[in-house]
Amino acid sequence: MNNKEVSINKVDELVNRAQLAINDWQCSGDVDYVHKAYANLQQAAIRLTLSRQAAKPKKSELMYSVIGDTLAADYENLDLYDTPEEALKEAKDFLKAGDIVTVLEMAESGWQPYICIDSLLEEFQDQAFTEGGEASEPWSDFIASKAMTAAADELEDELNNVLKRWLEKYQVEAGWYKETGKEYRYSFDGIDFIRL
């Protein structure tokens, strides 16, 4: 049995458990069975999403896109291509002899969200003020004090470690590409491209 079959079997098992829990709820009226059904369906949905992501062909690390001042106004293709040649081929129909275009090298973004403890503590202070008004000021002063600096740094590290594990677990990635700074300029002679 391959990984795909194992994953499908696990999803089937989770859906079956959810169906049994719904049946139990219908017979007993006990709300806990609805929560069990929901939890099983949620896990099944997560497994299906992850298996679909794993099945998608991974784009190469570097991709290429074409830009140029001389491209026709109706050329709005911002797609990414595996090679500079593929990107140029797509732009060819929108060029005339003498046009110059630039192929941009793009790399997948490694960006991940980050929890800033200063912003988070400010949010907590706002919440405290909303809840307690001026009576919350001693609590807010203590949270923002120099005595709590090391504790705040510790909290920031721990929260970001939890966030990182959560992002990895659910394979949450930026998914976009950004310019690397490398550019390749080409002149179009009406038939072929000449690298400048």
Side-chain angles (χ1 to χ4, degrees):
M1 192 178 302
N2 64 30
N3 287 344
K4 184 177 179 182
E5 290 169 334
V6 169
S7 179
I8 290 170
N9 288 343
K10 187 62 179 173
V11 169
D12 287 343
E13 179 186 329
L14 289 164
V15 170
N16 287 337
R17 284 186 196 169
Q19 288 172 332
L20 290 172
I22 290 170
N23 291 341
D24 289 341
W25 169 73
Q26 289 174 326
C27 293
S28 70
D30 187 349
V31 176
D32 285 341
Y33 289 118
V34 174
H35 292 291
K36 287 180 184 178
Y38 174 75
N40 283 307
L41 288 174
Q42 190 176 32
Q43 283 299 315
I46 289 168
R47 285 183 175 273
L48 284 173
T49 300
L50 293 177
S51 68
R52 282 193 190 122
Q53 286 175 350
K56 284 183 186 175
K58 189 75 170 153
K59 288 184 179 178
S60 63
E61 242 177 74
L62 293 176
M63 301 295 285
Y64 301 88
S65 185
V66 175
I67 61 167
D69 294 337
T70 56
L71 281 170
D74 58 350
Y75 185 77
E76 295 182 9
N77 187 352
L78 299 177
D79 291 341
L80 299 174
Y81 299 92
D82 291 329
T83 65
E85 292 75 23
E86 288 177 17
L88 290 169
K89 182 180 175 185
E90 286 298 315
K92 200 173 200 176
D93 293 339
F94 298 92
L95 298 171
K96 60 185 182 306
D99 285 348
I100 295 174
V101 295
T102 302
V103 174
L104 300 175
E105 183 181 84
M106 312 285 276
E108 190 170 6
S109 174
W111 176 85
Q112 290 196 336
Y114 181 79
I115 298 170
C116 172
I117 198 62
D118 293 334
S119 299
L120 189 59
L121 290 178
E122 284 177 19
E123 174 63 26
F124 290 164
Q125 289 171 317
D126 289 345
Q127 290 174 12
F129 187 79
T130 299
E131 177 66 26
E134 290 181 16
S136 70
E137 287 180 13
W139 183 88
S140 293
D141 291 344
F142 176 70
I143 286 297
S145 70
K146 295 226 185 271
M148 290 296 288
T149 301
D153 290 344
E154 177 188 352
L155 178 60
E156 183 175 73
D157 290 343
E158 288 183 23
L159 290 174
N160 279 298
N161 286 334
V162 169
L163 177 61
K164 182 179 178 190
R165 286 193 306 273
W166 180 81
L167 293 168
E168 288 171 356
K169 177 179 180 181
Y170 293 105
Q171 299 176 0
V172 179
E173 297 174 351
W176 63 79
Y177 283 72
K178 61 181 183 176
E179 296 177 30
T180 65
K182 289 186 181 177
E183 298 180 354
Y184 309 95
R185 293 183 50 81
Y186 295 84
S187 175
F188 184 60
D189 67 6
I191 297 171
D192 288 320
F193 290 94
I194 301 160
R195 182 134 179 225
L196 302 175

